[in-house]
Amino acid sequence: MNIEELRDYCISVKGATESFPFNEMTLVFKVMGKMFAYTRLKPKDGGFSVDLKCDPEKSADLRERYRGVGHGTHTQGLLWNKVCLDSDVPDNLIEELIKHSVDEVIKKLPKKKRYEYLNL
């Protein structure tokens, strides 16, 4: 998956918005005002990657199975993963992880907001 395909996929998510809240190089994707993905448009360390929210148990498993999955760029623990786009992580899994990240965001919203999202 390349950076353009990543952007296209993220923006196709129901209710997704994109912005640059931190700086002109970090593109952030949100649903219901909450981040589900972010990426640097000019990577510091080589290839492009995306940071995605993830269930901690799933994070641990992914990090063991794929070299292209590691700790989130500016996060600690298992709640965010950095997924290298040009790595051993297949494109269909990256898409699945984006969906999972959105689900993680939505499930933590207040009930009224969840209902609002589901009825967009």
Side-chain angles (χ1 to χ4, degrees), residues 40-89:
R40 283 193 53 83
L41 297 180
K42 289 191 179 179
K44 293 179 183 178
D45 57 358
F48 288 102
S49 64
V50 62
D51 285 66
L52 301 166
K53 266 192 123 126
C54 193
D55 172 79
E57 287 182 27
K58 186 175 184 113
S59 282
D61 179 56
L62 289 165
R63 291 177 189 183
E64 287 178 14
R65 291 177 42 202
Y66 297 98
R67 286 177 284 118
V69 178
H71 289 282
T73 305
H74 296 289
T75 60
Q76 294 182 359
L78 297 170
L79 295 178
W80 285 86
N81 283 328
K82 176 181 178 178
V83 180
C84 297
L85 301 183
D86 188 20
S87 70
D88 61 335
V89 183

